Amino acid sequence: MMAAVEASLRIALVGNPNSGKTALFNQLTGSRQKVANYAGVTVERKEGRLHVPSGRSFAILDLPGTYSLTPSSLDEAITRDLCRGFYPGEVAPDVLVCVVDATNLRLHLRFVLELRQLGRPMIVALNMVDAAQRRGIRIDREALEQALGVPVVETVAVRRNGAKSLIEELDSPGANPKAPKIQMDADADLHAETRRLLALSVTMPRNTAHIDDVLDRWLLHPVFGLLALAVVMFLIFQAVYAWAAPLMDLIEAGTTALSDWVLQVMPEGPLSSLLANGIIAGVGSVVVFLPQILILFAFILALEESGYLPRAAFMLDRTMATAGLSGRSFIPLLSSFACAIPGIMATRSIQDPRDRLATILVAPLMTCSARLPVYALLIGAFVPQRRVAGIFNQQGLVLFGLYMAGIFSALLVALIMKKWRRDKSEHMLMLELPSYRIPHIRDLLIGLWERAMIFLKRVGGIILSLTVLLWFLLSYPAAPKGAVGPAIEYSFAGYLGRALEVVFKPLGFGWEICIALVPGMAAREVVVSSLATVYALSVPDDEAAANALGPLISHDWSLATALSLLVWFIYAPQCISTLATIKRETNSWKNMGMATVYLFALAYLASLVTYQVAVLLGAG
């Protein structure tokens, strides 16, 4: 048995992805978890406390999953350095607990041998032993423990008390844990040693479960597999887009009610305006995205826990690689049709930092739902309601074309980035296809809670400060006495709109459109209501604004201007929320600035060409 450990000891959980390591971490620590970032990077750092029956408590660190101590990603490099005790600002772990999938020891034991060569105290946790037993896999735990020279315990992380053996090992009486005696030369063949250990301690009637073979026969089929994936992605897209709507409406209604209450109970003045129109509105503009994020991550976590997500990435890798992306980029890009924020956050599943950055930078080109109010306004005002070929709705075809333009542009930008980057090597996509399993509800809920807190903490501060600044620009200075125009025309934002008109005149944008673009930085949806304000319309909501604005802008604007504005919103520099998320996820002002500049350049150039060509064709 392993020795008793002191309360100050730090236990690091390490293992391959899909080993159940995080589920075991949740089992050991429960709600006693803290999530932060490692110093200088955006990789999540998860630490919790384990309280054992003897009264001791231990610090438990959940290290990023890795297949090898030879890293191919930032996550794997952090795990390697922490296991070796070399990561700056981090105390070296006293004990390594290597979590392995008992149903897939052929892959996981090789990593155990790598860790053992470090010469650090360690325990091997045979996780999912129940699944191994159901498949007829027999593991001689004692023989494996003797061959490895380190304690080996059995765990079932998704069951109540499933970590009992590990806890007993950590809390057992005796001397302090010692480093294992390495029984093989550091330069020996790890694959050969893995085969020896398997022959010594494992009896396996078949390599994979029958159900895995049956499902993979269909889900990895070059035709039926892609059809199944399309159905899954359609359901995710519909869920993120439709299921979140009632919750988002509820949050918006709550924000509006709270803002109205503040305006009623507080005296009219700058303070009440700041609280109602600045702070409350700013916080609401952040929180309103939370339902989409939680629904998206619920699907992603469920797909990952079920073992399907790696298979989807595997099927799409070759297709995505032609555009300089990887199979793992597909789900983040698809989810960006609802909102770029959860899409960018979903890129955390991409291990290669180069591919992850490329995905982050092109995700804003997906046509998010925030563009729809603007599209609906302009298409309804300028595109006739008629049938094409007797079947298709012309307005619907225009909307479909806008979506396809965003997709094509994203793939083109990714391809250009691939051609220009210094590292032109093709990074191999290494994926383990784990066994299928039913996701555990507790792990899903803990994962959702963590991501909700991360989103609110990381994005909220920046959004709040910038929306307060935007409120100031829209509110001051107040309109002079006797002013006949809308108050916004006399504000700093109004003056800015007049100044921007010089820049945007080649695109056909008047000062009214330029003013609407300023608050549109907070969220594209407000462009419609901002235009209504500019035209001094008193309407209760965006839908009413669109209904009233349609006849006005169709009379006041040329078709060339409308087409130019439509194209502008295909590429438009992102809302503050998206830019802040890019900053937080990449930990780089440079990357955020690069995204802003290239999106603005694309929007300006495309709108300029559209407007000038439309004028030449007589649409001006």
Side-chain angles (χ1 to χ4, degrees), residues 158-201:
V158 296
R159 282 188 185 174
R160 184 180 179 86
N161 297 322
K164 182 179 178 181
S165 298
L166 175 59
I167 294 174
E168 290 176 348
E169 184 67 37
L170 292 171
D171 198 29
S172 61
N176 288 332
K178 297 179 181 179
K181 294 181 180 179
I182 301 178
Q183 299 177 347
M184 56 179 286
D185 187 88
D187 297 325
D189 186 349
L190 294 180
H191 294 286
E193 179 64 9
T194 299
R195 289 193 294 269
R196 186 184 75 84
L197 291 174
L198 289 171
L200 180 67
S201 59

Side-chain angles (χ1 to χ4, degrees), residues 473-480 483-492 494 533-534 536:
L473 294 175
L474 290 168
S475 303
Y476 291 95
V484 293
I488 192 174
E489 187 176 342
Y490 303 94
S491 66
F492 290 122
T533 302
V534 172

Side-chain angles (χ1 to χ4, degrees), residues 25 57 125 140 278 334 344 375 432 434 484:
F25 175 77
S57 66
D140 189 336
L334 185 71
I344 291 171
Y375 285 171
E432 174 192 359
V484 293

